Amino acid sequence: MHEFSLAQTVLETIVSVAKQKDFTKIKKIILKFGAFALIQEDQFRFCFEIVQKSIKMTEKTELQIEWVPGELKCLNCNFEGKIENLPQDHNELAPIFQCPKCKSYKTEILSGTETVIDSIIV
Ligand SMILES: [Zn+2]
């Protein structure tokens, strides 16, 4: 499960940062997810809750998720820009995105695949 391992990685990372800086509790974390990272927010929140409860330091950490729009380049018509409507089916391992202009699938992802920890508030 993609979301579960991501939740684990995020929490392990913030715990190790907190330990380095002698923080004992983490009030809130802000994550940035790219639209093309294909993370299902509900599922991620569900997994995050399970993992956070197993760590004392993050038991009550509030989770904020900010979405970064995805940008695509079309190799067929040279369209470059943000994609607003992503396919709802996120189960594919290597999803291919359709150009909004010419409907071609010959596309390249320019940005929007990131999953980063933006800030940790203690
Ligand atoms: Zn195109």
Side-chain angles (χ1 to χ4, degrees):
M1 203 206 273
H2 178 52
E3 279 81 1
F4 195 81
S5 55
L6 181 64
Q8 270 180 320
T9 308
V10 165
L11 281 156
E12 276 165 17
T13 308
I14 59 171
V15 166
S16 75
V17 170
K19 277 182 182 159
Q20 274 170 28
K21 305 206 169 181
D22 280 331
F23 300 150
T24 49
K25 259 187 195 139
I26 296 149
K27 210 183 273 175
K28 182 178 178 179
I29 62 164
I30 302 170
L31 303 180
K32 273 203 173 134
F33 289 163
F36 293 147
L38 300 186
I39 295 153
Q40 289 183 324
E41 187 167 339
D42 287 356
Q43 245 185 59
F44 180 80
R45 284 184 178 278
F46 177 76
C47 299
F48 185 89
E49 250 178 64
I50 295 172
V51 183
Q52 82 177 130
K53 281 179 185 151
S54 67
I55 307 165
K56 201 168 187 304
M57 202 186 281
T58 60
E59 253 175 344
K60 293 192 169 108
T61 303
E62 189 194 328
L63 170 65
Q64 185 180 326
I65 297 173
E66 287 173 4
W67 289 93
V68 182
E71 280 186 318
L72 212 62
K73 179 185 175 153
C74 176
L75 304 176
N76 188 48
C77 74
N78 287 321
F79 165 86
E80 272 186 36
K82 285 178 188 164
I83 306 299
E84 306 292 342
N85 300 312
L86 286 168
Q88 288 308 299
D89 177 18
H90 286 183
N91 294 322
E92 281 179 73
L93 281 176
I96 300 163
F97 299 102
Q98 194 175 21
C99 170
K101 213 170 140 198
C102 73
K103 309 292 175 204
S104 166
Y105 284 99
K106 277 189 194 165
T107 56
E108 244 175 43
I109 291 170
L110 294 178
S111 68
T113 55
E114 60 267 73
T115 52
V116 290
I117 299 169
D118 188 63
S119 13
I120 300 174
I121 298 146
V122 293

